[in-house]
Amino acid sequence: MKRMIIFATALLAMAPLVTTPLSGALANDDGKDGAKGKLGLAGLLSAQNRETLPKLTLSAGTPLAAAPLTLKSGRYYKLSIEADGSQELALEGPGFFRAIWVNEIVIEGIEIRPLGVDSLEFDEAGEAEISFIAIKPGSYHLKVPGTTGELQTVAITIE
């Protein structure tokens, strides 16, 4: 009997959450009115929430990025990584990859929807595009494995 009372109380406490319509940025907005802060039918993946980041370049002896990246939690980003083929290079950042939700990785028109990523390795020249939603605030980095120089690391902050 005591369990039923606790269960019924929990259900009644949750009722306003279930029956109250969503408001603000999470409202089911068709995106036609152009209201800032509202998302379209695609939710977090909608065009109003999308941002393209500066390209990262994997090349022997050149900086990986021009500047650190600052991201906002809940925003949808596209990041291109280009390797010039001057050397076999990888890009790792397990902490960063665990702080984001990866929508897809596109390599030469092939879309990959992974459950998790630890690193990307380029054996030859090519480009990969990662689309993701930043989730967990904190300071992270992507770097070329086995290097200690600042040129082969990009600092990423998720606010």
Side-chain angles (χ1 to χ4, degrees):
M1 181 70 173
K2 188 175 181 181
R3 286 184 183 175
M4 288 181 63
I5 292 172
I6 292 172
F7 180 71
T9 305
L11 281 177
L12 287 174
M14 289 175 31
L17 297 175
V18 175
T19 58
T20 304
L22 295 174
S23 62
L26 296 178
N28 190 8
D29 178 22
D30 65 2
K32 293 179 183 175
D33 63 357
K36 189 172 177 111
K38 293 203 176 201
L39 302 177
L41 291 175
L44 291 176
L45 299 177
S46 66
Q48 298 97 312
N49 196 41
R50 190 174 304 158
E51 183 177 334
T52 301
L53 297 170
K55 185 181 289 191
L56 300 182
T57 305
L58 284 171
S59 180
T62 61
L64 185 59
L69 301 174
T70 302
L71 313 177
K72 299 246 186 254
S73 182
R75 290 221 20 126
Y76 178 59
Y77 294 97
K78 287 190 173 193
L79 175 65
S80 291
I81 304 164
E82 183 177 11
D84 68 358
S86 60
Q87 188 174 341
E88 185 176 319
L89 292 170
L91 190 61
E92 71 176 6
F96 172 70
F97 287 121
R98 282 159 186 69
I100 64 174
W101 172 75
V102 178
N103 179 42
E104 68 182 7
I105 299 173
V106 180
I107 303 167
E108 294 185 17
I110 299 170
E111 296 176 0
I112 304 161
R113 299 189 190 276
L115 290 175
V117 179
D118 209 47
S119 65
L120 298 173
E121 184 172 332
F122 292 80
D123 293 339
E124 54 190 47
E127 187 171 336
E129 182 180 83
I130 302 174
S131 61
F132 63 92
I133 295 177
I135 303 290
K136 185 177 174 187
S139 296
Y140 307 97
H141 66 273
L142 289 173
K143 70 175 199 152
V144 175
T147 61
T148 56
E150 291 181 24
L151 293 179
Q152 298 300 304
T153 300
V154 59
I156 302 171
T157 302
I158 299 176
E159 298 176 335

